[in-house]
């Protein structure tokens, strides 16, 4: 699948991995992880921490799937309003999903500290803006339900928004439990750490095309007919699950991102908080370590790469125009832009765990605007499942 086009900022900023090992012969391991993006890296992290021998296979160069295209805003609030999610999955599960996302940001922070890696992880507040009068009503309702369940949230009025942030909108929800990161750097740092300290092996250009499962073992076959035998396989293929999973669980879309020139700090907004809005599709905004503005949005409900790429120029203009409605004075100019495939599910929640048609496999499919927080949740849950630990009822199961 053609996952992205254009120049993803993170790839330029950090460069390619120096690791370029291919699989040349049959091997055996405890766990084979398919995918070296942030999800596969986090799964490897939790398993390696528990002395489980892991191998990662990726059909691309290391970590160059969607992880390089991400804007990496880490938020506990998912694409579905909590009150809508309650309608879809019930109050208990909906609140639990929100709380797990909240917790996952702290988990990421702990990993950064534990591995002592510098990956531009930064706690920043988040502003969820009302795009219009309907959005204001939605935020009022959302505020009440989040408050009822003890989730961190403050309601900002039109006056507060204007005086504090110089943004003209009817209302906003604010929380200071969000964060941002350089996901590509993060992913590479985790892989490098465990390559060095846990014997993790990562094979690039190793395309898994077939999987055969027996009672106590599972074997993956590459397109070069090389075999990887394991006790379990974890599928972390990002949006390319089609040849690994016997079910279509997501709808694919296209999204567009641009990055500005480095701005003078005075030209940025208070706290450099993450910004998004109630309109659908929404605009999402953050800054980078070198004070660039990163803005994404204007999603299209299709995946066709040719159609997607043909729209890039127009999308840049649309994004800039909309950005200027938030910050009319901004002298923003474009240094980089790209577009990428994006996936959503029927309820905005990921699919994690076993699938009845695929014995000896676990899936880590964190589809949705919160892909990275879902990756953390998936990685921890799969580690527990592999270790046979008692897990609570899985609210992200396939047959929900
Ligand atoms: C433009 C954009 C903005 C985003 N913004 C945010 C955001 O602000 N916050 C957030 O939380 N999330 C965001 N996301 C989502 C997030 O980036 C993704 O959920 C996350 O990067 C997915 O990571 P992954 O490891 O699952 O997938 P990937 O990074 O795509 O990695 C999967 C890997 O699996 C490999 N693979 C697939 N099939 C096979 C196979 N059969 N054999 C071998 N290898 C295989 C691929 O080559 C790939 O490298 C955004 C996504 C995009 C595109």
């Amino acid at each position: 699948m053609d996952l992205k086009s254009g120049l993803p900022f993170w790839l330029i900023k950090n460069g390619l991995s120096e690791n370029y090992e291919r699989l040349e012969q049959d091997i055996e391991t405890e766990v084979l992880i398919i995918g070296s993006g942030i999800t596969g890296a986090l799964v490897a992290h939790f398993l390696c921490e528990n002395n489980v021998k892991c191998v990662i296979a990726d059909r691309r160069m290391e970590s160059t799937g969607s992880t390089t295209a991400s804007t990496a805003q880490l938020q506990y609030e998912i694409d579905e309003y909590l009150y809508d999610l309650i309608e879809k999955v019930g109050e208990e599960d909906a609140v639990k999903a929100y709380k797990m996302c909240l917790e996952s940001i702290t988990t990421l922070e702990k990993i950064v500290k534990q591995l002592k890696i510098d990956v531009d992880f930064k706690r920043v507040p988040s502003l969820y803006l009302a795009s219009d009068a309907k959005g204001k009503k939605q935020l009022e309702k959302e505020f009440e339900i989040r408050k009822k369940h003890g989730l961190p949230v403050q309601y900002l009025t039109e006056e507060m928004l204007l005086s504090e942030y110089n943004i003209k909108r009817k209302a906003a929800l604010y929380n200071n439990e969000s964060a941002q990161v350089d996901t590509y750097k993060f992913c590479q740092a985790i892989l490098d750490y465990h390559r060095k300290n846990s014997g993790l092996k990562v094979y690039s250009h190793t395309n898994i095309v077939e999987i055969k499962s027996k009672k106590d073992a599972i074997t993956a076959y590459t397109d070069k007919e090389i075999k990887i035998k394991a006790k379990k396989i974890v599928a972390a293929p990002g949006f390319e699950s089609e040849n690994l999973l016997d079910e279509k669980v997501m709808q694919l879309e296209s999204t567009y991102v641009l990055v500005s020139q480095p701005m003078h700090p005075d030209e940025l907004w208070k706290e450099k908080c993450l910004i998004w809005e109630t309109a659908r599709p929404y605009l999402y905004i953050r800054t980078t370590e070198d004070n660039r503005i990163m803005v994404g949005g204007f999603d299209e409900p299709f995946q066709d790469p040719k159609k997607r790429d043909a729209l890039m120029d127009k999308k840049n203009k649309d994004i800039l125009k909309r950005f200027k409605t938030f910050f009319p004075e901004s002298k923003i100019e474009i240094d980089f832009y790209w577009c990428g495939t994006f996936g959503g599910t029927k309820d905005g929640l990921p699919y994690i765990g076993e699938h009845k048609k695929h014995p000896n496999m676990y899936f880590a499919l964190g589809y949705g605007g919160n892909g990275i927080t879902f990756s953390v949740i998936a990685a921890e849950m799969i580690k527990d499942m592999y270790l046979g630990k008692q897990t609570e009822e899985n609210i992200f199961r396939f047959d929900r």
Side-chain angles (χ1 to χ4, degrees):
M1 189 187 289
D2 180 349
L3 289 172
K4 59 194 183 305
S5 307
L7 266 191
F9 173 66
W10 309 116
L11 208 47
I12 306 291
K13 177 175 166 273
N14 299 302
L16 292 173
S17 164
E18 284 169 16
N19 177 63
Y20 208 88
E21 207 172 341
R22 286 167 192 237
L23 186 63
E24 310 280 0
Q25 60 188 27
D26 296 353
I27 53 165
E28 277 190 37
T29 181
E30 273 187 84
V31 175
L32 165 65
I33 300 164
I34 302 175
S36 65
I38 189 63
T39 313
L42 286 165
V43 171
H45 169 71
F46 284 109
L47 289 174
C48 287
E49 286 290 290
N50 284 278
N51 302 315
V52 178
K53 201 174 155 215
C54 298
V55 162
I56 297 183
D58 199 304
R59 55 164 62 138
R60 292 190 170 74
M61 284 181 289
E62 196 171 291
S63 319
T64 56
S66 302
T67 293
T68 49
S70 186
T71 49
Q73 304 187 185
L74 305 174
Q75 288 167 283
Y76 81 81
E77 32 199 7
I78 62 181
D79 286 354
E80 293 275 334
Y81 289 105
L82 179 57
Y83 64 78
D84 273 342
L85 194 59
I86 287 173
E87 292 290 314
K88 288 185 179 171
V89 303
E91 186 149 357
E92 197 183 333
D93 285 356
V95 173
K96 201 149 117 192
Y98 261 69
K99 290 198 169 165
M100 287 172 91
C101 283
L102 180 63
E103 184 58 35
S104 73
I105 302 170
T106 306
T107 306
L108 278 179
E109 190 170 26
K110 279 187 194 152
I111 296 174
V112 172
K113 285 188 185 145
Q114 180 201 344
L115 304 189
K116 297 191 177 71
I117 47 182
D118 174 12
V119 292
D120 300 348
F121 178 95
K122 193 172 162 204
R123 284 283 184 178
V124 276
S126 162
L127 265 188
Y128 190 7
L129 299 172
S131 306
D132 49 24
K134 182 179 157 216
K136 180 173 182 258
K137 286 214 170 78
Q138 289 169 314
L139 292 189
E140 283 164 0
K141 192 170 168 189
E142 182 68 4
F143 172 65
E144 291 303 329
I145 193 90
R146 286 199 205 171
K147 207 170 56 160
K148 175 182 163 202
H149 290 289
L151 287 159
V153 64
Q154 288 173 45
Y155 186 85
L156 303 190
T157 61
E158 188 172 3
E159 296 72 36
M160 287 156 107
L161 257 179
L162 197 58
S163 66
E164 295 287 313
Y165 295 91
N166 202 20
I167 297 176
K168 261 177 122 170
R169 287 293 185 273
K170 294 267 174 234
L173 295 187
Y174 173 95
N175 77 74
N176 55 12
E177 299 287 336
S178 307
Q180 64 187 34
V181 70
D182 175 341
T183 318
Y184 175 60
K185 198 174 177 191
F186 189 25
C187 182
Q188 291 277 290
I190 295 173
L191 297 179
D192 283 343
Y193 180 91
H194 287 294
R195 237 192 301 264
K196 227 179 267 166
N197 296 291
S198 322
L200 175 70
K201 285 280 187 188
V202 186
Y203 296 106
S204 300
H205 288 289
T206 302
N207 187 15
I208 305 299
V209 290
E210 197 182 359
I211 290 173
K212 287 183 187 162
S213 183
K214 288 193 178 150
K215 197 164 171 270
D216 297 320
I218 185 161
T219 306
Y221 297 79
T222 73
D223 53 358
K224 311 247 169 15
E225 292 175 20
I226 298 170
K227 283 190 277 188
I228 308 173
K229 193 174 167 200
K231 283 189 194 155
K232 297 278 182 189
I233 289 181
V234 179
F239 301 119
E240 296 176 315
S241 59
E242 69 283 350
N243 71 340
L244 300 172
L245 176 66
D246 203 6
E247 190 182 340
K248 188 173 179 289
V249 291
M250 83 289 200
Q251 304 79 44
L252 292 178
E253 300 182 3
S254 300
T255 187
Y256 300 82
V257 183
L258 60 83
V259 174
S260 76
Q261 78 280 29
M263 311 292 288
H264 189 278
D266 295 345
E267 293 178 282
L268 300 172
W269 50 94
K270 188 181 164 189
E271 297 166 319
K272 295 193 237 176
C273 47
L274 309 179
I275 297 176
W276 66 310
E277 55 167 343
T278 57
R280 294 292 184 270
Y282 51 78
L283 211 68
Y284 44 103
I285 308 171
R286 59 166 281 186
T287 59
T288 61
E289 278 299 292
D290 56 350
N291 288 327
R292 296 171 189 268
I293 300 169
M294 185 177 274
V295 198
F298 279 87
D299 306 0
E300 288 287 345
F302 58 76
Q303 191 264 330
D304 180 346
K306 266 198 187 151
K307 235 168 111 181
R308 177 193 74 195
D309 297 356
L311 288 170
M312 269 205 277
D313 277 349
K314 178 178 178 326
K315 294 293 177 180
N316 282 341
K317 287 189 191 113
D318 290 344
I319 290 174
L320 279 184
K321 196 169 158 200
R322 186 144 184 89
F323 176 81
K324 290 270 181 93
T325 70
F326 296 99
F327 300 105
E329 313 287 309
S330 177
K331 307 241 168 6
I332 185 170
E333 283 176 31
I334 304 176
D335 265 3
F336 300 91
Y337 60 90
W338 66 93
C339 56
T341 295
F342 198 71
T345 64
K346 60 180 182 191
D347 49 19
L349 297 180
Y351 287 93
I352 300 172
E354 295 173 312
H355 188 285
K356 59 180 185 307
K357 288 196 183 156
H358 300 275
N360 291 318
M361 283 184 78
Y362 301 115
F363 289 86
L365 307 178
Y367 302 139
N370 289 50
I372 300 163
T373 50
F374 290 154
S375 300
V376 185
I377 295 171
E380 274 202 290
M381 284 178 68
I382 287 171
K383 176 260 296 172
D384 285 343
M385 289 173 189
Y386 181 77
L387 296 177
K389 284 198 184 157
Q390 200 70 34
T391 45
E392 285 183 73
E393 212 222 328
N394 181 2
I395 59 174
F396 307 119
R397 65 190 182 278
F398 283 93
D399 63 352
R400 61 177 182 257

